[in-house]
Amino acid sequence: GIQVEQSPPDLILQEGANSTLRCNFSDSVNNLQWFHQNPWGQLINLFYIPSGTKQNGRLSATTVATERYSLLYISSSQTTDSGVYFCAVRIRTLGRLYFGRGTQLTVWP
Amino acid sequence: SAVISQKPSRDICQRGTSLTIQCQVDSQVTMMFWYRQQPGQSLTLIATANQGSEATYESGFVIDKFPISRPNLTFSTLTVSNMSPEDSSIYLCSAPRGQGTEAFFGQGTRLTVV
C-alpha cells in the first residue's frame, strides 16, 4: 500500500514560534487531509488539500501533488495547538484513508 | 461540515465482555470506515462497512472479533468481542461527506479493558 511519512515525529516550541510539518507520500493520491488530534482523542479536520495552498487563520497548508508532499504551517503557536497532527491520504474516490505516524507538537507558555 | 455522532465516548470494560460502539451520520453515505488507534500509535483501518453487504476487513482483523452492522445509509455499529487488555484503544468511525469527499470522523470511543 501507499506509504505516508511525517516529519518531525516530535516538535517542542515556545509560544509564539512558527513551525512547519511535512508529509511525504509514495504514490499519486486524490485526496490529502491534515488533522489535529486533541487530548481527548477527537480528530479535528484542518485542511482538505489534494493540491494547492489554503489558509485558515494561523494555519496554512500546501500540497505539491506532482512532488508527493504536503506542508502544514503553524504561525504564532499557542498552547492550545499542542497535540498530534496527522496527515492522511486517499488513493481512490470514497476509499479509505492512509495515515502517517503523526507529529507530536508541544507548545510551552 | 458533516456531523458524525459516535457513542459511547469512553468506557471501562471487564475482560471477556463485549462492547458495541454506535456511529450515526447526519446524511446518507455509501461507505463508512472503522479505525483503531492503539496507545501512542497512528490510526489503523479495521474494516469498511457498506450498506446491505458484509463488511470488508483488513488483514489482522476478523469478523468474529469485530462484527460490524450497517443496517442503513446513516448508521453503523462496531462490536469489540471477548475483550482483553490488548483491545484498549481509541475506536473511530469515519465517512466521506460532500462533493469533495472530505473524510470526517466521529468523536471516538476511548476503551479501557481491565
Side-chain angles (χ1 to χ4, degrees):
Chain A
I2 189 170
Q3 304 300 311
V4 182
E5 296 181 354
Q6 291 187 242
S7 60
D10 297 281
L11 188 58
I12 301 174
L13 302 173
Q14 192 126 32
E15 208 168 24
N18 303 327
S19 61
T20 301
L21 284 58
R22 187 176 180 101
C23 174
N24 293 332
F25 44 96
S26 62
D27 207 343
S28 300
V29 300
N30 76 358
N31 177 21
L32 186 144
Q33 293 184 237
W34 284 97
F35 298 91
H36 177 213
Q37 188 168 40
N38 65 24
W40 297 271
Q42 187 173 3
L43 279 177
I44 308 299
N45 286 43
L46 297 178
F47 292 102
Y48 168 66
I49 185 165
S51 63
T53 297
K54 291 186 177 180
Q55 181 155 7
N56 184 2
R58 296 181 296 104
L59 274 60
S60 64
T62 295
T63 297
V64 184
T66 53
E67 298 186 21
R68 299 179 184 169
Y69 74 90
S70 183
L71 302 173
L72 177 68
Y73 305 96
I74 305 175
S75 64
S76 304
S77 56
Q78 302 176 357
T79 56
T80 52
D81 294 332
S82 295
V84 183
Y85 289 79
F86 286 105
C87 167
V89 302
R90 192 177 62 224
I91 57 176
R92 289 197 316 273
T93 303
L94 298 180
R96 50 90 42 99
L97 287 175
Y98 294 84
F99 281 81
R101 293 179 178 268
T103 292
Q104 173 75 58
L105 174 65
T106 304
V107 181
W108 294 97
Chain B
S1 64
V3 174
I4 302 180
S5 176
Q6 183 177 340
K7 59 181 180 182
S9 58
R10 58 175 58 235
D11 207 341
I12 301 173
C13 300
Q14 295 289 326
R15 66 176 66 202
T17 63
S18 298
L19 175 72
T20 295
I21 302 167
Q22 299 180 5
C23 187
Q24 177 77 51
V25 188
D26 66 344
S27 64
Q28 294 182 344
V29 295
T30 303
M31 302 171 77
M32 295 179 70
F33 302 90
W34 288 96
Y35 293 84
R36 180 178 74 180
Q37 185 181 24
Q38 295 177 299
Q41 303 296 313
S42 185
L43 280 76
T44 301
L45 182 68
I46 298 172
T48 301
N50 295 314
Q51 192 268 336
S53 64
E54 292 281 337
T56 303
Y57 289 82
E58 297 297 302
S59 175
F61 298 96
V62 295
I63 188 170
D64 290 346
K65 177 67 175 178
F66 298 101
I68 287 171
S69 77
R70 183 81 200 274
N72 56 54
L73 290 174
T74 65
F75 187 78
S76 179
T77 67
L78 169 75
T79 299
V80 186
S81 304
N82 188 25
M83 288 184 286
S84 67
E86 292 70 34
D87 294 319
S88 298
S89 298
I90 298 174
Y91 293 85
L92 300 106
C93 65
S94 173
R97 292 272 285 108
Q99 292 188 355
T101 66
E102 181 177 358
F104 289 86
F105 284 80
Q107 301 93 321
T109 297
R110 187 180 294 272
L111 171 62
T112 302
V113 184
V114 298

